[in-house]
Amino acid sequence: MAKFLIVEARFYETINDQLLEGARTALEQAGHTHETITVPGALEIPGAIALAIESDRYDGFVAIGCVIRGETYHFEIVAGESARAIMALTMDGIAIGNGIITVETEKQAFARSDPYRKNKGGEAAQAAIAMLELQERFAD
């Protein structure tokens, strides 16, 4: 049994509720425990994970959030930089599942976050579990 930290950017509450439900269910069904912390936005997720890594209390991480395109270039920065920073952490051997969905519309966000449809929260948790299993396999 591993302990995961779910780090969520709670900007879109209903969408995040669905992403969290999917992630928590996937972790629990796999027999793992989890805690959840909330950060202001998607850009803060990698920083929170980096701080949590230092605590040595977690075996893996699940990033949860939603970025919906607006009228400005800000979408590109938030979507790209949060993904880049999470990828940098994974390249350091950290088991992370990236469940930050980036979409054009709220309708797309609801479809992707719904645990009974696309279940991107659950997929992110499953990815974190898979990466932790690989980490353990290569450590032997």
Side-chain angles (χ1 to χ4, degrees):
M1 173 174 41
K3 185 170 187 178
F4 286 84
L5 179 65
I6 301 170
V7 182
E8 68 150 338
R10 190 130 188 102
F11 195 80
Y12 298 100
E13 286 193 31
T14 306
I15 294 165
N16 270 29
D17 286 344
Q18 293 186 140
L19 289 167
L20 279 170
E21 180 183 345
R24 288 173 173 159
T25 299
L27 291 171
E28 290 165 7
Q29 286 178 344
H32 301 297
T33 62
H34 57 82
E35 290 180 26
T36 302
I37 62 169
T38 302
V39 296
L43 286 174
E44 289 75 35
I45 291 173
I49 292 172
L51 292 170
I53 290 166
E54 297 297 318
S55 77
D56 234 9
R57 295 191 315 210
Y58 306 100
D59 302 299
F61 303 88
V62 181
I64 296 291
C66 178
V67 184
I68 300 175
R69 184 180 299 277
E71 297 177 5
T72 68
Y73 185 71
H74 187 67
F75 169 88
E76 305 291 336
I77 293 170
V78 174
E81 290 302 311
S82 61
R84 182 201 56 77
I86 289 171
M87 183 57 67
L89 291 168
T90 64
M91 296 303 292
D92 286 338
I94 307 303
I96 303 174
N98 187 351
I100 302 173
I101 58 174
T102 54
V103 296
E104 300 289 330
T105 66
E106 274 192 28
K107 182 178 179 181
Q108 290 175 345
F110 280 112
R112 284 162 178 72
S113 63
D114 187 339
Y116 303 102
R117 292 173 69 193
K118 296 204 182 261
N119 194 19
K120 294 301 179 182
E123 287 180 10
Q126 291 168 346
I129 293 166
M131 294 306 292
L132 182 61
E133 289 170 353
L134 278 176
Q135 186 182 68
E136 292 168 350
R137 175 180 174 188
F138 292 125
D140 290 339

